[in-house]
Each structure stands twice: as structure tokens, then as C-alpha cells.
């Protein structure tokens, strides 16, 4: 037992001594490397990053995200169990927001849609009910039901939504209830909303149900224009809605004119002259057809007979010319704004073709230039992405660059461990370039002054004796040329040809841009230099250490002494033996001393 305990303690001591020796050896190597390379200032490979906010454990010891709430409701359907809450309980627990952001709240845009629908009901149907005999005592209760439903929507908009809208005052977003209500009560919007709800319906008891008494409801037009602005802000193709809206303006003007024509015909007497409506067929469709021919000035209409008909027709012609010209001009502006990018692309293409024809550029080069224009436009919708971001402030450009490029740049081994803010500054300097099939991205022997990050497509690294053998194919997310950014002496030379395999979108980071950024981040600069030196050493090691397959060795390597034989010699020396092993040990010492 004593012998086993002694051997166990000696094994523990030997293990501890070996660990200490290893630690001392690592420390010595780091001190040596620090003396050789002055850029190494710390034992760590990277600057200390700010720790991320860790999830706070709950009092029970579990994370809040993993802790199941007690009021979770589970419902079984078919053979599966779904976690859900009853819709009635969800409806009861819903709380209406105390303040609403009118610029970003989609619920407010949806509510404006219902307000605009109620406003359109009054604008379109009040003239119809006044001019045409569509409102009768038999269906009057249906008209009144929808009328008062629209009035309820207007009232809720005033009491519930408009008094909760946030506004900006002195650069601050005001969310106080009293301030929001006061701001609405003092606005022009409130005055128009009150006027549109004037209770002229009480005159129904005196003059009957006259739709013209509801004409003030059309003063809710400010909600219509606000809905247009909010909807265009969230649509991806807003020009389509603009075209539809402009067409609706034209249709509404024709709608009002048809109502006026029926009223004039009823005033003169239906069928009394050849100019008025004769009372046959669908009255609205026939009158609308007459309004289209009048406002668009197609012609072919019967001549007016009475003075009233002549004055009415002259006013119609003047109004039609003016309204139709305004609609055509607005439609032209809408279509021009929608195709502005395409027009710019065509003008650039035509100017480039004209330039190449003037200088008699070969057709092969012209075809490649045309291909570049077409692919660049169809792939990214613009010729230069930087033009889109010039008008944005620096912070917004950084946010867009982070969303687009950060996932790719953060995977580059050279930049791992660097300051996070340095990477953010570097994202704004990336430039997007499109390469055509078989275009040389870089050639062997060139001075490398930039780094490439593949955004889309593939590139091939060529090498071999003829320089045409494909060594490797790099895909989206790969990086090459990063060592060139930190190489001294103006940049290192490229060691291989890199060719685009098909169409390739690449991000380029130039060396001068990186140097301007690293001036403000000295710790990251030292780390990048250290990594670059290690990468260069690893690339040059196989060439320096490994000989060729046919290189003969002048002095063959000496075989190592067997471990068991060395142990026997050491034991003989400790015991002071003078046998053959002792003499051999003494002879080896002499040879070692001579060497």
C-alpha cells in the first residue's frame, strides 16, 4: 500500500511538473515573439470586445425565455398540440395604444382606408341620389343606414384616432395625451372635421330627405390625401397606385358631368328636344356616355336648341378641355416618374454606344459593354448603387450597409477579432463591381491593392504550367486578396490569375480606404499586421521547408537513439557502474564534447 501511494504521488508530481514546463515554454515563445515583432503588445489575439448583454436568469434559476408561463393555453387538433391563447381572452386583454405614430403604424393606415371608403360613398353617391331617381321611399332606409354608418366612422376618427396622433415639436416626438389632443384641436384638420359633421340632417323633417344636405361630408378630403401619402410610403410599386388614382379622378369628373346632364335634361323635360336625354334605356349609362363624348370632345353630339342648352354645352366644352388636359399632364408625370430610371439607363446606353462608334471600337468590345449595361441594370435596378445612398445621412447609410454586407465581411478570417466599429466604417467603403464571364478579376504578377468579396456568382483561380488550369472555384461569400491590404512596400504581387466564371458581383475594398480607417484603430491595426505576417509565413513555409521530390540529401539524417537504450545508460550513470554500458556512456560523452 505504501509503495502504491508513493508511485501515485510521484505520478501526480510528474504531471504537474510537465504542465509547468509546458507553460514556461509557451511563455518563453510569446516573449521571444514580442521581442522580434514589436507590434505584438499583448498576449491576446484580439482587443477585448464589449460583452453582450447576457440573458438574466429568473429567480427560479431558469432563463426568462425558457420559463413557461402559467396561463398558456394548449389546444389539440388532429394529432398535434398547438400553443395558443383563446381569441376572446386575447380580445379582452388588447389595449388600445395611448399614442399612434402616423408614419409607421399600419393599423392607422388601415383605419384611414375605412375613413376614405366612407368619404368616397358620400362623394360618389350624393350627386347620383340628387340627380337620378334612384332614392325612393321604398329603399330610403337602406340609404340612411349606410349614411349614418359613415357618420359613425367620421366621429370615431375625431374622438379616438386623431387625438392620439404623435407630432414633432422642437425636434422631439410628443406622446403626451393632453399635448396630442391640444395639437389636434388647434389644427386646420379639426375645423374641417367639425364642419363635415354639421347636423343638417335635422332639416329632413322640414324639406324631406334631400341628399344635398349631406354635401358637407365631402369636406373630409384631408383624410383622403393623408391616406395617399401613407399608402405610397409602404407600397413597393407606388406608381401603379398613382396611375389608378389619376384614372379615378378622370372617372369622377365624368361621373359628376353625367349627373349634371341628367339634371339638365329633367329640367328641360326628358325627350323634349333632341339634345336632352330621351328617357330610354339605362339612364346612368346613357348619360355617362354623353359625358364622355363631351368632356373628351369627341364630337357627334346633337346641337343644343334653347339658350339654357347652349350655355350648358359651352360650359361643358370649356370644362372638358381643361379637365382632360390636366388629367393627361398628370398621367404623363406619373408615368415619367415611374420610368425615370429606365430612361436614365437608356440615355447612358445610347451615349456610350455613340462614343464607341465615334472612336471605332471593335464590335467584340462593344458587345461586352452592352452586356455589362444590361446585366447590371436587370440585376440591381441601377447602374451605380452609391448614387442611391448619397442623399441619405451617414448613420442611415451605415444601417443599410450593415444589413447588406455585414454577414459577409464578418466571416473574413483576417477581420475576426477586430474592433466592431472599424468593421462598420469599412462597410461604407465597399464598392460593388460586376464582372462578365471570362473577365480577369486580377492577373498574376500584378500589385495587389484591393481585396475582393464575392457577393453573387463564382470566380476561378487559374494556375499550372500554362496558367489555365483551374486550381479552385470560389463561390458567394468567399474572399481573396485580403493579404494585399496589409502587405508592405506598395503591395504584394498576385500569385495566380482569377477569372469570373459567369456573371459575378464582387465587393471591392481598396488599400487606401483601409489605411484611412486603421489610423483611428491602432489596436486593430497591430492585430491585422500580426495576422497578415502569420498568413504570409504559412504560405511561404511549404516552399522553404519542403524540398523537391527528387532533391538528394548530401548528409543523410542521423537515426535517433532508442528511448530504452537511453534509459539504460542513464540508470548506469546513476549507479556508477563500470561495465560495458558504463564505458559506452563515457565514450558517448567524449564524442559529444568533441562535437
Amino acid at each position: 500500500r505504501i509503495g502504491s501511494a508513493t508511485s501515485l504521488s510521484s505520478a501526480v508530481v510528474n504531471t504537474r511538473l510537465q504542465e509547468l514546463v509546458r507553460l514556461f515554454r509557451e511563455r518563453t515563445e510569446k516573449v521571444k515573439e514580442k521581442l522580434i515583432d514589436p507590434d505584438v503588445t499583448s498576449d491576446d489575439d484580439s482587443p477585448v470586445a464589449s460583452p453582450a448583454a447576457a440573458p438574466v436568469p429568473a429567480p427560479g434559476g431558469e432563463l426568462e425565455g425558457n420559463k413557461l408561463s402559467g396561463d398558456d393555453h394548449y389546444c389539440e387538433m388532429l394529432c398535434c398540440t398547438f400553443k395558443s391563447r383563446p381569441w376572446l381572452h386575447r380580445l379582452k386583454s388588447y389595449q388600445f395604444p395611448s399614442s399612434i405614430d402616423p408614419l409607421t403604424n399600419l393599423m392607422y393606415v388601415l383605419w384611414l382606408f375605412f375613413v376614405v371608403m366612407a368619404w368616397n360613398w358620400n362623394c360618389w353617391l350624393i350627386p347620383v341620389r340628387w340627380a337620378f331617381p334612384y332614392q325612393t321611399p321604398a329603399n330610403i332606409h337602406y340609404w340612411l343606414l349606410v349614411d349614418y354608418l359613415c357618420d359613425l366612422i367620421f366621429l370615431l376618427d375625431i374622438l379616438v384616432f386623431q387625438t392620439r396622433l404623435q407630432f414633432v415639436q422642437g425636434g422631439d416626438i410628443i406622446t403626451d395625451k393632453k399635448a396630442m389632443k391640444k395639437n389636434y384641436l388647434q389644427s386646420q384638420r379639426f375645423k374641417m372635421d367639425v364642419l363635415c359633421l354639421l347636423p343638417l340632417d335635422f332639416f329632413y323633417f322640414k324639406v324631406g330627405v334631400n341628399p344635398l344636405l349631406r354635401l358637407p361630408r365631402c369636406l373630409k378630403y384631408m383624410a383622403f390625401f393623408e391616406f395617399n401619402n401613407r399608402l405610397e410610403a409602404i407600397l413597393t410599386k407606388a406608381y401603379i397606385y398613382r396611375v389608378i388614382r389619376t384614372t379615378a379622378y378622370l372617372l369622377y369628373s365624368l361621373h359628376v358631368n353625367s349627373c349634371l346632364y341628367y339634371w339638365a335634361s329633367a329640367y328641360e323635360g326628358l325627350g323634349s328636344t333632341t339634345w336632352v336625354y330621351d328617357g330610354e334605356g339605362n339612364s346612368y349609362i346613357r348619360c355617362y356616355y354623353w359625358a364622355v363624348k363631351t368632356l373628351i370632345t369627341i364630337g357627334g353630339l346633337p346641337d343644343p336648341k334653347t339658350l339654357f342648352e347652349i350655355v350648358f354645352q359651352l360650359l361643358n366644352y370649356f370644362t372638358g378641355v381643361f379637365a382632360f388636359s390636366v388629367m393627361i399632364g398628370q398621367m404623363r408625370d406619373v408615368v415619367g416618374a415611374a420610368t425615370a430610371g429606365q430612361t436614365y439607363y437608356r440615355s447612358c446606353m445610347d451615349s456610350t454606344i455613340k462614343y464607341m462608334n465615334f472612336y471605332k471600337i471593335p464590335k467584340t468590345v462593344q458587345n461586352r459593354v452592352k452586356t455589362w449595361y444590361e446585366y447590371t441594370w436587370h440585376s440591381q435596378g441601377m447602374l451605380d448603387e452609391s448614387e442611391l445612398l448619397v442623399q441619405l445621412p451617414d448613420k442611415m447609410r451605415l444601417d443599410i450597409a450593415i444589413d447588406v454586407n455585414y454577414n459577409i465581411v464578418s466571416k473574413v478570417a483576417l477581420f475576426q477579432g477586430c474592433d466592431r466599429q472599424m468593421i462598420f466604417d469599412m462597410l461604407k467603403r465597399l464598392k460593388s463591381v460586376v464582372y462578365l464571364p471570362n473577365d480577369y478579376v486580377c492577373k498574376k504578377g500584378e500589385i495587389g491593392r484591393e481585396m475582393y468579396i464575392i457577393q453573387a456568382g463564382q470566380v476561378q483561380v487559374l494556375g499550372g504550367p500554362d496558367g489555365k488550369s483551374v486550381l479552385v472555384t470560389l463561390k458567394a461569400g468567399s474572399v481573396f486578396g485580403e493579404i494585399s491590404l496589409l502587405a508592405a512596400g506598395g503591395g504584394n504581387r498576385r500569385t495566380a490569375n482569377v477569372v469570373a466564371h459567369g456573371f459575378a458581383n464582387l465587393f471591392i475594398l481598396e488599400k487606401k480606404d483601409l489605411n484611412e480607417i486603421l489610423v483611428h484603430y491602432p489596436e486593430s491595426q497591430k492585430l491585422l499586421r500580426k495576422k497578415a505576417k502569420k498568413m504570409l509565413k504559412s504560405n511561404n513555409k511549404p516552399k522553404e521547408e519542403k524540398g523537391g521530390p527528387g532533391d538528394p540529401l548530401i548528409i543523410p539524417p542521423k537515426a535517433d537513439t532508442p528511448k530504452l537504450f537511453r534509459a539504460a545508460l542513464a540508470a548506469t550513470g546513476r549507479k556508477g557502474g563500470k561495465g560495458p554500458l558504463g564505458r559506452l556512456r563515457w565514450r558517448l560523452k567524449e564524442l559529444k564534447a568533441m562535437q
Side-chain angles (χ1 to χ4, degrees):
R1 291 181 180 178
I2 295 176
S4 61
T6 304
S7 61
L8 182 60
S9 60
S10 62
V12 173
V13 172
N14 289 336
T15 303
R16 181 58 180 165
L17 288 175
Q18 291 176 4
E19 184 179 356
L20 290 175
V21 170
R22 181 180 58 81
L23 293 176
F24 278 120
R25 186 181 295 110
E26 292 179 357
R27 182 64 179 174
T28 304
E29 291 294 335
K30 290 182 179 179
V31 173
K32 181 180 178 181
E33 185 179 2
K34 182 177 179 181
L35 293 175
I36 296 175
D37 188 358
D39 289 340
V40 182
T41 58
S42 63
D43 296 338
D44 299 331
D45 288 342
S46 63
V48 180
S50 57
V56 181
E62 297 181 357
L63 296 178
E64 293 182 358
N66 298 331
K67 186 176 180 181
L68 296 176
S69 57
D71 56 349
D72 287 343
H73 176 76
Y74 292 89
C75 61
E76 295 184 359
M77 184 179 298
L78 298 180
C79 59
C80 304
T81 303
F82 299 94
K83 179 181 178 181
S84 64
R85 300 177 64 182
W87 66 270
L88 186 59
H89 178 69
R90 188 184 308 167
L91 185 62
K92 291 180 179 179
S93 62
Y94 176 76
Q95 294 183 355
F96 198 81
S98 59
S99 64
I100 300 174
D101 185 2
L103 301 179
T104 59
N105 195 316
L106 295 181
M107 182 191 66
Y108 180 66
V109 178
L110 180 62
W111 170 252
L112 285 178
F113 170 76
F114 291 108
V115 176
V116 170
M117 291 298 294
W119 178 76
N120 276 281
W121 166 268
N122 292 285
C123 291
W124 285 79
L125 292 179
I126 287 177
V128 172
R129 295 160 61 184
W130 165 72
F132 291 91
Y134 291 150
Q135 178 177 300
T136 61
N139 60 14
I140 188 66
H141 55 281
Y142 295 111
W143 294 102
L144 294 179
L145 176 63
V146 181
D147 286 345
Y148 294 131
L149 180 61
C150 295
D151 293 347
L152 178 62
I153 293 177
F154 288 172
L155 187 62
L156 290 177
D157 182 63
I158 295 175
L159 299 178
V160 179
F161 284 88
Q162 296 301 321
T163 57
R164 285 179 166 85
L165 293 184
Q166 303 173 4
F167 65 98
V168 179
Q169 185 178 23
D172 296 331
I173 301 177
I174 306 301
T175 59
D176 182 67
K177 292 183 178 180
K178 294 183 178 179
M180 290 186 296
K181 184 180 297 184
K182 182 180 179 181
N183 177 70
Y184 172 63
L185 295 178
Q186 295 177 352
S187 65
Q188 183 70 18
R189 177 77 172 268
F190 173 72
K191 299 176 183 178
M192 301 301 295
D193 290 346
V194 172
L195 286 177
C196 80
L197 286 179
L198 285 177
L200 300 180
D201 302 45
F202 289 107
F203 288 99
Y204 286 171
F205 299 102
K206 185 73 175 177
V207 299
V209 182
N210 190 347
L212 290 181
L213 294 176
R214 295 188 54 82
L215 200 59
R217 302 296 188 272
C218 298
L219 296 177
K220 193 72 175 178
Y221 65 91
M222 299 182 71
F224 171 71
F225 291 110
E226 184 183 8
F227 173 72
N228 292 333
N229 296 332
R230 301 292 175 261
L231 187 61
E232 290 179 5
I234 62 177
L235 292 177
T236 56
K237 295 183 179 180
Y239 64 90
I240 297 179
Y241 174 72
R242 297 190 189 106
V243 172
I244 297 174
R245 185 182 63 202
T246 305
T247 306
Y249 290 159
L250 178 60
L251 296 178
Y252 182 74
S253 61
L254 296 174
H255 169 78
V256 173
N257 193 31
S258 64
C259 295
L260 292 175
Y261 175 65
Y262 186 88
W263 169 80
S265 300
Y267 177 79
E268 286 285 304
L270 299 179
S272 59
T273 64
T274 57
W275 182 83
V276 299
Y277 170 58
D278 56 4
E280 297 180 0
N282 188 294
S283 57
Y284 181 79
I285 299 298
R286 297 287 295 275
C287 293
Y288 200 92
Y289 173 75
W290 183 92
V292 171
K293 296 183 68 175
T294 303
L295 284 183
I296 304 180
T297 62
I298 296 177
L301 295 173
D303 296 331
K305 303 300 182 181
T306 64
L307 178 62
F308 176 80
E309 295 175 357
I310 293 174
V311 174
F312 187 90
Q313 188 69 7
L314 286 176
L315 293 176
N316 250 331
Y317 279 139
F318 288 136
T319 306
V321 171
F322 176 75
F324 191 70
S325 60
V326 170
M327 297 302 172
I328 293 299
Q330 189 171 1
M331 188 69 73
R332 182 201 60 189
D333 295 338
V334 170
V335 176
T339 59
Q342 187 77 16
T343 305
Y344 173 73
Y345 158 69
R346 287 298 176 188
S347 63
C348 293
M349 172 82 86
D350 295 341
S351 301
T352 305
I353 293 175
K354 183 178 179 181
Y355 174 84
M356 292 188 296
N357 290 333
F358 180 79
Y359 285 99
K360 298 180 181 180
I361 304 297
K363 288 296 182 181
T364 55
V365 179
Q366 292 191 24
N367 291 335
R368 293 184 66 82
V369 171
K370 295 176 184 178
T371 304
W372 180 87
Y373 267 107
E374 292 179 1
Y375 176 77
T376 303
W377 176 257
H378 290 297
S379 62
Q380 51 190 43
M382 61 193 70
L383 298 178
D384 188 3
E385 292 181 349
S386 60
E387 296 180 357
L388 179 66
L389 307 177
V390 168
Q391 300 177 354
L392 296 178
D394 189 70
K395 180 63 173 64
M396 291 186 180
R397 287 203 302 268
L398 175 60
D399 294 339
I400 294 177
I402 291 174
D403 293 334
V404 176
N405 305 330
Y406 182 74
N407 290 334
I408 298 177
V409 177
S410 61
K411 297 177 183 178
V412 180
L414 183 64
F415 300 123
Q416 290 182 358
C418 294
D419 195 310
R420 188 184 182 93
Q421 189 61 40
M422 187 212 77
I423 297 180
F424 290 166
D425 293 343
M426 187 178 64
L427 292 176
K428 296 184 292 184
R429 305 295 185 96
L430 294 178
K431 299 177 182 178
S432 178
V433 180
V434 176
Y435 287 91
L436 301 183
N438 301 323
D439 273 355
Y440 278 89
V441 180
C442 58
K443 294 185 178 181
K444 184 177 181 179
E446 289 181 344
I447 300 298
R449 297 184 180 89
E450 57 275 319
M451 178 192 73
Y452 300 92
I453 303 175
I454 303 177
Q455 180 188 13
Q458 299 178 0
V459 298
Q460 293 179 339
V461 181
L462 306 182
D466 56 352
K468 297 182 180 180
S469 302
V470 179
L471 301 180
V472 66
T473 300
L474 303 178
K475 300 181 180 180
S478 301
V479 180
F480 59 95
E482 65 271 23
I483 302 179
S484 304
L485 297 180
L486 299 169
N492 68 311
R493 295 187 179 274
R494 306 291 189 187
T495 59
N497 296 328
V498 180
V499 180
H501 181 64
F503 293 95
N505 289 30
L506 304 182
F507 286 124
I508 294 180
L509 177 64
E510 296 183 356
K511 186 174 183 178
K512 61 182 183 64
D513 293 335
L514 181 63
N515 291 337
E516 293 175 0
I517 296 173
L518 290 179
V519 171
H520 307 286
Y521 304 96
E523 291 295 328
S524 297
Q525 184 179 15
K526 294 175 183 179
L527 174 62
L528 290 178
R529 287 181 179 176
K530 176 184 174 183
K531 287 188 174 184
K533 289 179 181 179
K534 286 184 178 181
M535 296 175 73
L536 286 173
K537 288 180 181 178
S538 62
N539 292 339
N540 296 332
K541 232 176 186 182
K543 299 180 181 179
E544 297 174 356
E545 295 182 357
K546 296 181 182 179
D551 295 340
L553 298 176
I554 300 176
I555 301 177
K558 180 181 177 182
D560 293 337
T561 306
K563 294 182 179 180
L564 182 60
F565 188 63
R566 287 203 305 267
L569 292 177
T572 304
R574 287 197 297 268
K575 293 180 181 180
K578 297 183 179 180
L581 290 178
R583 290 192 298 271
L584 182 58
R585 184 171 180 274
W586 177 77
R587 181 60 178 167
L588 290 174
K589 282 186 178 182
E590 286 186 346
L591 292 175
K592 188 174 182 181
M594 291 174 62
Q595 291 177 357

